[in-house]
C-alpha cells in the first residue's frame, strides 16, 4: 500500500521577520561590582527589518505581537571573586525578568544565557542589563573579551514569532 504525505501546515503562514543578531566582539568592558549595567552589542550579524540599533543596543520590533529574544554573556573577574551574576531583560526602561547564577565557590569566569518570549507593541524596546557581585568588591569584565568576531559568545538576538 502506498503512503502519501498529508500537508499538516495548511492555514499556517507568515515569516518570522523581523529578526536580528548583535554581538560584542571587542575588548572586555569593566563594570562596577554590584551594579546593574546596560550591555552593549556593537556588531550586527543580522538585522532584517532594521529593528536593532547598535548605538543604543536596543531591539524595537516595529510590529504588534510576540518575539523570542535571547542573550548570552561572559563574565570575568581577574581576582576570581565572583559570587553572583545576573542578566536582565528590560522592556521600555524597566526590568522585565532576569536569570542568575550563584556558583558554589568564588570563581573567575561564568557564561550565562537567558531566553524569553515577549508581548509587545510596535514601539516597545528591549535591552539587556548585567550585574555581578564579588567577595572583594573588585570590578568585573563583562562582556568579557571576545576577539573572534566569527564566533561571538556575547550576544543579543531575537525574531518575530508566528502566531
Amino acid at each position: 500500500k502506498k503512503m502519501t504525505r498529508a500537508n499538516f501546515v495548511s492555514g499556517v503562514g507568515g515569516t518570522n521577520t523581523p529578526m536580528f543578531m548583535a554581538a560584542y566582539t571587542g575588548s572586555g568592558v569593566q563594570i562596577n561590582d554590584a551594579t546593574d549595567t546596560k550591555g552593549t552589542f556593537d556588531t550586527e550579524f543580522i538585522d532584517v527589518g532594521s529593528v536593532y540599533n547598535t548605538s543604543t543596543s536596543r531591539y524595537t520590533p516595529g510590529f504588534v505581537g510576540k518575539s523570542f529574544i535571547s542573550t548570552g554573556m561572559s563574565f570575568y573577574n581577574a581576582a576570581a571573586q565572583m559570587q553572583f551574576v545576573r542578566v536582565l531583560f528590560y522592556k521600555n526602561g524597566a526590568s522585565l525578568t532576569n536569570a542568575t547564577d550563584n556558583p558554589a565557590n568564588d570563581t573567575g569566569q561564568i557564561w550565562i544565557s537567558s531566553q524569553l518570549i515577549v508581548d509587545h507593541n510596535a514601539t516597545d524596546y528591549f535591552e539587556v542589563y548585567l550585574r555581578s557581585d564579588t567577595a572583594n568588591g573588585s570590578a568585573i569584565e563583562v562582556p568579557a573579551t571576545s576577539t573572534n568576531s566569527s564566533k561571538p559568545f556575547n550576544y543579543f538576538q531575537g525574531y518575530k514569532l508566528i502566531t
Side-chain angles (χ1 to χ4, degrees), residues 1 121 139 160:
K1 201 173 196 183
N121 66 37
K160 176 183 179 179

Side-chain angles (χ1 to χ4, degrees), residues 28-52:
V29 176
Q30 294 290 316
I31 67 170
N32 292 328
D33 175 56
T35 305
D36 290 350
T37 304
K38 185 175 175 176
T40 57
F41 307 92
D42 58 356
T43 303
E44 287 183 323
F45 286 86
I46 303 167
D47 190 0
V48 178
S50 299
V51 294
Y52 183 77

Side-chain angles (χ1 to χ4, degrees), residues 16-28:
N16 65 337
T17 56
M19 72 172 98
F20 78 98
M21 180 188 182
Y24 181 80
T25 58
S27 298

Side-chain angles (χ1 to χ4, degrees), residues 61 87 98 110 151 154:
V87 294
N98 68 74
I110 297 174
K151 298 177 184 173
N154 302 299

Side-chain angles (χ1 to χ4, degrees), residues 124-145:
D124 287 336
Y125 63 92
F126 297 91
E127 302 164 297
V128 174
Y129 276 73
L130 319 158
R131 178 188 176 116
S132 181
D133 297 354
T134 62
N136 64 358
S138 59
I140 302 99
E141 185 180 309
V142 59
T145 301

